[in-house]
Amino acid sequence: MVSEATCIFQGVVTFLLIEYLWELYLSIRQHKVYQQANKVPEELNEIINEETYNKARVYGLDKSSFSIIKDLFGTITTVVIILVNGFVHFWNIAGIIISTLGYDADNEILRSAAFMLTLNIFNTITTLPFSIYHTFVLEERHGFNKQTVGFFIKDKIKTFIVGQVIMLPVISAVIYIVKIGGDYFFIYLWIFAMAVTFILLTVYPNCIAPLFDKYTPLPEGELRTSIEELAASIDFPLYKLYVVEGSKRSTHSNAYFYGFFKNKRIVLFDTLLKDYVPDNATTSDIKDVATYEKKGCNNPEVLAVLAHELGHWKLNHVLKNIVIMQMNLLLIFLVFGLLFQYEAMYRAFGFQHEKPILIGLVVVLQFIFSPYNAILNFLMTILSRRFEFQADAFAKQLGRSKYLREALIKLNKDNLGFPVYDWMYSMWHHSHPPLLERLKALDKTD
Ligand SMILES: [Zn+2]
């Protein structure tokens, strides 16, 4: 007779492989599009020229090969970890670390924190070659990388330390809550998760993000005035307006807003702004800007992009996403509450006698829920595309459709987006509708 643990084990591995093969199938479909669509389709003639089209195609092909290999490596790593009872080994290492430091290895909270730290070190090291290749080979080859080796190393170390400083106390608190929470611990866990989300959303922009990038208030001038007018016209409580020097990392461009209630901030990437020259730019920087065509949008286009972003706010898209995520968390914690004493689940991952809470949580989140996560992700992608169309329509209502159209085309060009997609790949992966569909929706007369 097959034991329950074996059933769980087989189920987890089978689903992992099915999911991998499905993603691979979609990637190969899209890979073929990059290989075969080497002529600009007629409908795109006015949007993209031959040269940019081919650059974008080669960039897409490179990214596609990279992600196929990276996914293969990721799946192999996960399967090997499961096959060799990797979690047991990490758990043992965590025990050794704790006792070496002079603590009791049975202290589950400390041991869980040490486990998480060990696992994170392992993940950081195994993914590092991909990260290096992505930045210094792939992005470099296509002219997007702006990071120096020094910046990259410092950035990685900072990211790791900041990540641990946040994650380890949170993990410790989670274990504590499960231990003392009684039958309804999942509710306390949920409230705790909400509080952490709220705190991080508040603290992150002011305290954490500035550790990584430089944020400067957008200087007084035409652009600033127009943005303030736009915000006021739709009652957006604009509190601060920043430019972030994304150009130190890469030349990809973006804009977003954040903040609670009456304290909204808008952040523009300097790479989005064609006419923006940083305050402290030296003459050589400016000369550099003058000698080649600077990427980015002109002011009316930036305003149209912002009108789209503010549409997300006006239509409560952010709030809706947060509510869905919180409901999802409640469900996950509830299921975890039902399963976390279930011995077979731990045996499936090699734990014969112990049932560490953290292991249960990782197994439920990462493996037991993976079919559910795949479906939820797909539904969220569909929802996100809807939201994008709605935000575009909002910008259109504000009379910005002409400039939004131009901005979308320009940003697609600047970021070398390839405008031709396999429909299945697009349906599964694209949180933003393809360029052509957005332009069509903008052009439609109501
Ligand atoms: Zn959007």
Side-chain angles (χ1 to χ4, degrees), residues 308-309 312 387-388 391 432 438:
H308 166 101
E309 289 304 319
H312 284 308
F387 285 172
E388 291 308 317
H432 286 57
R438 290 180 77 176

Side-chain angles (χ1 to χ4, degrees), residues 174-396:
V174 166
I175 307 298
Y176 180 72
I177 292 170
V178 176
K179 274 183 166 307
I180 62 146
D183 287 346
Y184 294 100
F185 79 80
F186 66 94
I187 293 182
Y188 306 126
L189 207 52
W190 183 55
I191 294 169
F192 174 70
M194 268 200 282
V196 170
T197 312
F198 192 82
I199 292 170
L200 280 182
L201 285 174
T202 316
V203 168
Y204 182 82
N206 294 318
C207 306
I208 302 173
L211 294 174
F212 294 95
D213 294 295
K214 202 174 147 208
Y215 291 77
T216 15
L218 181 68
E220 294 295 333
E222 194 198 318
L223 182 61
R224 191 183 178 99
T225 315
S226 325
I227 292 175
E228 281 164 356
E229 280 167 11
L230 171 66
S233 75
I234 55 167
D235 302 318
F236 180 80
L238 179 61
Y239 174 64
K240 277 187 176 146
L241 187 50
Y242 294 110
V243 179
V244 59
E245 266 180 50
S247 55
K248 285 243 174 77
R249 290 172 185 276
S250 95
T251 55
H252 289 296
S253 42
N254 209 344
Y256 62 93
F257 69 88
Y258 63 87
F260 289 109
F261 313 118
K262 299 285 165 211
N263 285 320
K264 296 276 191 281
R265 296 141 166 101
I266 290 177
V267 177
L268 305 167
F269 278 50
D270 57 351
T271 42
L272 177 72
L273 312 173
K274 190 172 185 152
D275 301 325
Y276 178 77
V277 181
D279 252 359
N280 53 356
T282 61
T283 28
S284 69
D285 287 337
I286 296 169
K287 225 182 274 162
D288 207 32
V289 169
T291 46
Y292 70 99
E293 194 199 350
K294 191 172 181 295
K295 290 176 172 186
C297 297
N298 62 29
N299 288 356
E301 289 161 357
V302 173
L303 282 163
V305 169
L306 275 181
H308 166 101
E309 289 304 319
L310 297 182
H312 284 308
W313 165 77
K314 194 76 175 176
L315 301 165
N316 286 322
H317 291 163
V318 182
L319 192 65
K320 284 174 188 164
N321 275 327
I322 290 178
V323 170
I324 293 171
M325 281 306 143
Q326 292 304 331
M327 290 296 122
N328 179 46
L329 266 187
L330 182 60
L331 176 74
I332 287 173
F333 289 154
L334 179 71
V335 173
F336 173 66
L338 297 172
L339 286 180
F340 91 109
Q341 296 283 22
Y342 180 43
E343 263 172 58
M345 189 174 78
Y346 296 86
R347 265 187 277 123
F349 286 83
F351 288 82
Q352 299 304 333
H353 310 292
E354 288 171 291
K355 289 185 287 179
I357 293 166
L358 182 61
I359 302 297
L361 197 59
V362 171
V363 168
V364 169
L365 284 181
Q366 198 183 341
F367 299 113
I368 307 292
F369 261 82
S370 60
Y372 165 85
N373 287 337
I375 293 168
L376 181 72
N377 273 338
F378 178 53
L379 296 177
M380 291 306 285
T381 306
I382 294 176
L383 184 67
S384 163
R385 282 197 299 258
R386 262 183 81 101
F387 285 172
E388 291 308 317
F389 279 125
Q390 290 175 358
D392 280 353
F394 181 81
K396 188 178 172 180

Side-chain angles (χ1 to χ4, degrees), residues 51-267:
E51 193 200 343
T52 312
Y53 180 86
N54 273 318
K55 271 194 203 165
R57 195 176 70 82
V58 177
Y59 181 43
L61 206 53
D62 269 5
K63 279 196 295 185
S64 161
S65 308
F66 175 74
S67 77
I68 287 174
I69 290 168
K70 194 179 162 200
D71 289 351
L72 174 66
F73 180 80
T75 307
I76 290 174
T77 312
T78 312
V79 171
V80 168
I81 286 181
I82 299 176
L83 288 180
V84 303
N85 291 333
F87 286 159
V88 176
H89 301 306
F90 282 120
W91 187 249
N92 290 339
I93 294 171
I96 295 169
I97 295 174
I98 293 304
S99 38
T100 311
L101 290 174
Y103 296 99
D104 182 1
D106 288 333
N107 183 328
E108 193 174 348
I109 293 178
L110 284 179
R111 192 163 174 177
S112 301
F115 172 87
M116 218 54 218
L117 183 65
T118 318
L119 197 62
N120 289 339
I121 292 174
F122 175 81
N123 283 334
T124 306
I125 292 172
T126 49
T127 53
L128 193 61
F130 290 99
S131 184
I132 292 171
Y133 183 88
H134 180 261
T135 308
F136 293 106
V137 180
L138 208 169
E139 293 288 285
E140 183 82 38
R141 186 187 294 157
H142 297 277
F144 289 116
N145 177 43
K146 288 283 173 256
Q147 298 185 39
T148 61
V149 175
F151 181 95
F152 179 87
I153 294 172
K154 249 199 267 173
D155 200 57
K156 280 275 172 238
I157 294 173
K158 264 196 280 182
T159 308
F160 184 80
I161 293 174
V162 171
Q164 306 318 303
V165 166
I166 296 169
M167 190 162 352
L168 299 183
V170 169
I171 291 290
S172 307
V174 166
I175 307 298
Y176 180 72
I177 292 170
V178 176
K179 274 183 166 307
I180 62 146
D183 287 346
Y184 294 100
F185 79 80
F186 66 94
I187 293 182
Y188 306 126
L189 207 52
W190 183 55
I191 294 169
F192 174 70
M194 268 200 282
V196 170
T197 312
F198 192 82
I199 292 170
L200 280 182
L201 285 174
T202 316
V203 168
Y204 182 82
N206 294 318
C207 306
I208 302 173
L211 294 174
F212 294 95
D213 294 295
K214 202 174 147 208
Y215 291 77
T216 15
L218 181 68
E220 294 295 333
E222 194 198 318
L223 182 61
R224 191 183 178 99
T225 315
S226 325
I227 292 175
E228 281 164 356
E229 280 167 11
L230 171 66
S233 75
I234 55 167
D235 302 318
F236 180 80
L238 179 61
Y239 174 64
K240 277 187 176 146
L241 187 50
Y242 294 110
V243 179
V244 59
E245 266 180 50
S247 55
K248 285 243 174 77
R249 290 172 185 276
S250 95
T251 55
H252 289 296
S253 42
N254 209 344
Y256 62 93
F257 69 88
Y258 63 87
F260 289 109
F261 313 118
K262 299 285 165 211
N263 285 320
K264 296 276 191 281
R265 296 141 166 101
I266 290 177
V267 177

Side-chain angles (χ1 to χ4, degrees), residues 46-47 301 304 400-411 435-436 438-440 442-443:
E46 283 165 37
I47 295 166
E301 289 161 357
R400 315 245 170 203
S401 88
K402 175 171 167 271
Y403 290 113
L404 183 57
R405 195 178 197 289
E406 283 168 16
L408 288 175
I409 293 172
K410 202 176 274 182
L411 289 176
L435 176 66
L436 208 57
R438 290 180 77 176
L439 296 181
K440 270 186 194 148
L442 278 175
D443 289 344

